[in-house]
Amino acid sequence: MATKKAIHDFYQMKADGKKVTWLTAYDFPTAQFAQNAGLDMLLVGDSLGMCVYGYKGTIPVTMDQCITHCDAVRRGAPDTFVVGDMPFMSYQASDQDAVYNAGRFLKEADVDAVKLEGGTRVTSRIRAIVEAGIVVIGHIGLTPQSSGVLGGHKAQGRTAKDAALVVEDALAVQEAGAHLLLVEAVPPEVTEYIAKTLTIPVFSIGAGKECDGQLLIVSDLIGQFQAFTPKFVKKYCDVAAIITQAMREYCEDVRNGNFPEDQHCYHMIDGEKEKFMADMAD
Ligand code: KIV
């Protein structure tokens, strides 16, 4: 079994040019699979709103839901670095809310770090959480919780002017004390510049490969999420098709009387069947 990685391991990996692997997980079995597969990090993303609860977006997700799923993931992956994702309105209103809710993730679900969205506009939140002794991951570029003000779920930094704003956010997040940075849906050349400029490890989701590690949403990777597939997703298998086919075959077997078979039944202990029949005949 590999030993659980900590923040200094990710810094060392950046220095050594080794890529860090990061995936979302929302439940106990998936966390077990991920740990067995050798993932370095897991994110219990607020994407669970769409991937698990069927909401249209992440806005309705609550702290309690996030904690419940972090707790399950922690049990499934006790030796993996687990990140709790701060949901909408768990940090937007004040530094105090941010520290209190970040602390809940550690106390109630034993996570290793928290992630929050935003650049220059959340630096005081990042500073406050770091001062409370909690590992923080910044998240810039496309930040789904504020997709309304971004004009939808759109790639960011595609003009020179917008790219400069993304770089400004990245520098602000590092300056505020964040330990790692996630860049979402930004052109690869902008991410590469950020990863080379920042001393903290920089991760991409839909932001190219010239950085220190990658994140994907597990429900996209395994072909479970049906509503849409972002351009940056690589689907490694199609569990939706596999599960649907298995369910179809089960229905057919039940309807045709082919399930259960003898091997699926608990038979009576030797000699008891005869006694049972005799008792019933009396
Ligand atoms: O919630 C999540 O899974 C995320 C990713 C989209 C980066 O924040």
Side-chain angles (χ1 to χ4, degrees):
M1 188 186 29
T3 50
K4 183 173 159 183
K5 292 197 171 66
I7 211 75
H8 63 268
D9 295 305
F10 304 130
Y11 281 75
Q12 190 59 52
M13 288 170 83
K14 179 178 174 101
D16 295 344
K18 289 190 183 146
K19 302 280 185 188
V20 182
T21 57
W22 192 14
L23 189 62
T24 67
Y26 313 108
D27 57 42
F28 175 83
T30 309
Q32 283 187 313
F33 301 149
Q35 180 163 300
N36 291 339
L39 265 296
D40 296 312
M41 296 169 62
L42 291 176
L43 170 68
V44 185
D46 63 353
S47 49
L48 66 85
M50 292 138 92
C51 298
V52 177
Y53 289 96
Y55 302 147
K56 282 205 193 90
T58 57
I59 298 301
V61 175
T62 66
M63 270 302 296
D64 287 344
Q65 286 171 321
C66 289
I67 298 276
T68 299
H69 288 272
C70 281
D71 193 31
V73 166
R74 167 50 76 216
R75 279 195 294 275
D79 302 314
T80 307
F81 191 92
V82 172
V83 182
D85 200 11
M86 299 196 67
F88 184 60
M89 288 320 288
S90 67
Y91 61 94
Q92 278 83 354
S94 68
D95 289 356
Q96 203 177 1
D97 276 4
V99 174
Y100 175 76
N101 286 313
R104 278 194 66 194
F105 276 102
L106 270 72
K107 282 179 83 77
E108 298 176 40
D110 192 23
V111 303
D112 300 290
V114 297
K115 173 174 90 54
L116 70 160
E117 297 183 6
T120 50
R121 68 191 161 79
V122 297
T123 51
S124 85
R125 306 289 185 270
I126 293 174
R127 215 167 267 123
I129 302 170
V130 170
E131 273 170 17
I134 297 170
V135 175
V136 172
I137 305 181
H139 176 174
I140 61 165
L142 171 55
T143 45
Q145 288 172 16
S146 47
S147 59
V149 291
L150 296 177
H153 284 81
K154 284 187 186 156
Q156 302 294 304
R158 297 184 77 188
T159 64
K161 193 170 155 219
D162 289 349
L165 292 176
V166 177
V167 172
E168 193 186 324
D169 276 341
L171 290 166
V173 166
Q174 173 170 277
E175 168 66 22
H179 302 85
L180 305 171
L181 176 68
L182 174 67
V183 181
E184 178 168 355
V186 159
E189 44 278 60
V190 181
T191 313
E192 181 177 4
Y193 177 82
I194 292 170
K196 285 191 172 143
T197 306
L198 266 52
T199 54
I200 62 174
V202 175
F203 293 83
S204 148
I205 178 164
K209 64 178 178 184
E210 299 307 329
C211 55
D212 307 306
Q214 292 291 323
L215 170 67
L216 263 188
I217 293 192
V218 68
S219 317
D220 291 330
L221 178 144
I222 64 173
Q224 188 181 45
F225 184 66
Q226 304 285 286
F228 59 89
T229 306
K231 176 185 167 71
F232 58 78
V233 166
K234 180 169 174 186
K235 202 163 147 179
Y236 285 82
C237 65
D238 191 353
V239 294
I242 294 168
I243 293 173
T244 309
Q245 182 55 23
M247 290 174 176
R248 252 187 222 121
E249 287 175 24
Y250 165 71
C251 290
E252 255 172 56
D253 277 356
V254 170
R255 287 176 189 136
N256 299 337
N258 293 333
F259 177 83
E261 295 168 58
D262 198 48
Q263 58 182 322
H264 305 120
C265 297
Y266 299 100
H267 289 294
M268 292 187 86
I269 293 166
D270 281 352
E272 292 297 312
K273 181 177 171 185
E274 291 70 22
K275 268 195 242 164
F276 172 64
M277 293 301 191
D279 288 350
M280 292 300 108
D282 283 346

mmCIF file of all heavy atoms in Angstrom, residues 268 271-282:
data_model
loop_
_atom_site.group_PDB
_atom_site.id
_atom_site.type_symbol
_atom_site.label_atom_id
_atom_site.label_comp_id
_atom_site.label_asym_id
_atom_site.label_seq_id
_atom_site.Cartn_x
_atom_site.Cartn_y
_atom_site.Cartn_z
ATOM 1 N N MET A 268 -32.863 -26.137 2.326
ATOM 2 C CA MET A 268 -33.070 -26.574 3.709
ATOM 3 C C MET A 268 -31.950 -27.522 4.118
ATOM 4 O O MET A 268 -31.372 -28.217 3.278
ATOM 5 C CB MET A 268 -34.437 -27.249 3.852
ATOM 6 C CG MET A 268 -35.559 -26.227 3.669
ATOM 7 S SD MET A 268 -37.181 -26.891 4.013
ATOM 8 C CE MET A 268 -37.275 -26.643 5.764
ATOM 9 N N GLY A 271 -32.456 -33.389 5.591
ATOM 10 C CA GLY A 271 -33.444 -34.053 6.450
ATOM 11 C C GLY A 271 -34.591 -33.154 6.865
ATOM 12 O O GLY A 271 -35.674 -33.629 7.227
ATOM 13 N N GLU A 272 -34.389 -31.815 6.800
ATOM 14 C CA GLU A 272 -35.418 -30.872 7.284
ATOM 15 C C GLU A 272 -36.573 -30.737 6.286
ATOM 16 O O GLU A 272 -37.697 -30.461 6.670
ATOM 17 C CB GLU A 272 -34.801 -29.498 7.553
ATOM 18 C CG GLU A 272 -33.834 -29.461 8.727
ATOM 19 C CD GLU A 272 -34.517 -29.798 10.042
ATOM 20 O OE1 GLU A 272 -35.594 -29.240 10.334
ATOM 21 O OE2 GLU A 272 -33.981 -30.652 10.770
ATOM 22 N N LYS A 273 -36.268 -30.945 5.012
ATOM 23 C CA LYS A 273 -37.303 -30.779 3.991
ATOM 24 C C LYS A 273 -38.429 -31.817 4.214
ATOM 25 O O LYS A 273 -39.619 -31.467 4.195
ATOM 26 C CB LYS A 273 -36.693 -30.956 2.597
ATOM 27 C CG LYS A 273 -37.692 -30.774 1.477
ATOM 28 C CD LYS A 273 -37.022 -30.877 0.132
ATOM 29 C CE LYS A 273 -38.049 -30.904 -0.978
ATOM 30 N NZ LYS A 273 -37.434 -31.112 -2.284
ATOM 31 N N GLU A 274 -38.005 -33.075 4.468
ATOM 32 C CA GLU A 274 -38.972 -34.151 4.668
ATOM 33 C C GLU A 274 -39.841 -33.829 5.891
ATOM 34 O O GLU A 274 -41.059 -33.970 5.865
ATOM 35 C CB GLU A 274 -38.258 -35.499 4.861
ATOM 36 C CG GLU A 274 -37.557 -36.040 3.625
ATOM 37 C CD GLU A 274 -36.317 -35.247 3.214
ATOM 38 O OE1 GLU A 274 -35.733 -34.540 4.075
ATOM 39 O OE2 GLU A 274 -35.952 -35.270 2.017
ATOM 40 N N LYS A 275 -39.158 -33.354 6.985
ATOM 41 C CA LYS A 275 -39.918 -33.026 8.206
ATOM 42 C C LYS A 275 -40.920 -31.905 7.933
ATOM 43 O O LYS A 275 -42.062 -31.961 8.354
ATOM 44 C CB LYS A 275 -38.930 -32.548 9.296
ATOM 45 C CG LYS A 275 -38.432 -33.664 10.194
ATOM 46 C CD LYS A 275 -37.780 -33.050 11.424
ATOM 47 C CE LYS A 275 -36.315 -33.464 11.444
ATOM 48 N NZ LYS A 275 -35.503 -32.665 12.340
ATOM 49 N N PHE A 276 -40.451 -30.917 7.207
ATOM 50 C CA PHE A 276 -41.286 -29.747 6.865
ATOM 51 C C PHE A 276 -42.537 -30.196 6.077
ATOM 52 O O PHE A 276 -43.651 -29.826 6.388
ATOM 53 C CB PHE A 276 -40.441 -28.751 6.064
ATOM 54 C CG PHE A 276 -41.201 -27.588 5.478
ATOM 55 C CD1 PHE A 276 -41.831 -26.660 6.293
ATOM 56 C CD2 PHE A 276 -41.287 -27.417 4.097
ATOM 57 C CE1 PHE A 276 -42.529 -25.592 5.742
ATOM 58 C CE2 PHE A 276 -41.976 -26.350 3.543
ATOM 59 C CZ PHE A 276 -42.586 -25.436 4.375
ATOM 60 N N MET A 277 -42.291 -31.064 5.071
ATOM 61 C CA MET A 277 -43.393 -31.554 4.232
ATOM 62 C C MET A 277 -44.395 -32.338 5.106
ATOM 63 O O MET A 277 -45.596 -32.165 4.961
ATOM 64 C CB MET A 277 -42.869 -32.465 3.112
ATOM 65 C CG MET A 277 -42.035 -31.717 2.091
ATOM 66 S SD MET A 277 -42.990 -30.409 1.317
ATOM 67 C CE MET A 277 -41.915 -29.967 -0.002
ATOM 68 N N ALA A 278 -43.832 -33.160 5.982
ATOM 69 C CA ALA A 278 -44.701 -33.971 6.848
ATOM 70 C C ALA A 278 -45.519 -33.072 7.771
ATOM 71 O O ALA A 278 -46.744 -33.243 7.915
ATOM 72 C CB ALA A 278 -43.847 -34.962 7.662
ATOM 73 N N ASP A 279 -44.859 -32.074 8.366
ATOM 74 C CA ASP A 279 -45.556 -31.132 9.266
ATOM 75 C C ASP A 279 -46.694 -30.424 8.537
ATOM 76 O O ASP A 279 -47.780 -30.227 9.059
ATOM 77 C CB ASP A 279 -44.600 -30.067 9.817
ATOM 78 C CG ASP A 279 -43.627 -30.652 10.840
ATOM 79 O OD1 ASP A 279 -43.833 -31.807 11.242
ATOM 80 O OD2 ASP A 279 -42.672 -29.929 11.209
ATOM 81 N N MET A 280 -46.404 -30.015 7.304
ATOM 82 C CA MET A 280 -47.396 -29.274 6.537
ATOM 83 C C MET A 280 -48.578 -30.159 6.133
ATOM 84 O O MET A 280 -49.697 -29.687 5.992
ATOM 85 C CB MET A 280 -46.752 -28.683 5.268
ATOM 86 C CG MET A 280 -45.746 -27.579 5.545
ATOM 87 S SD MET A 280 -46.467 -26.172 6.395
ATOM 88 C CE MET A 280 -45.783 -26.335 8.024
ATOM 89 N N ALA A 281 -48.278 -31.456 5.944
ATOM 90 C CA ALA A 281 -49.333 -32.388 5.522
ATOM 91 C C ALA A 281 -50.294 -32.698 6.681
ATOM 92 O O ALA A 281 -51.421 -33.093 6.464
ATOM 93 C CB ALA A 281 -48.708 -33.669 4.983
ATOM 94 N N ASP A 282 -49.796 -32.529 7.939
ATOM 95 C CA ASP A 282 -50.630 -32.872 9.113
ATOM 96 C C ASP A 282 -51.866 -31.968 9.223
ATOM 97 O O ASP A 282 -51.803 -30.801 8.951
ATOM 98 C CB ASP A 282 -49.796 -32.734 10.412
ATOM 99 C CG ASP A 282 -48.870 -33.920 10.588
ATOM 100 O OD1 ASP A 282 -49.065 -34.932 9.867
ATOM 101 O OD2 ASP A 282 -47.929 -33.818 11.402
#
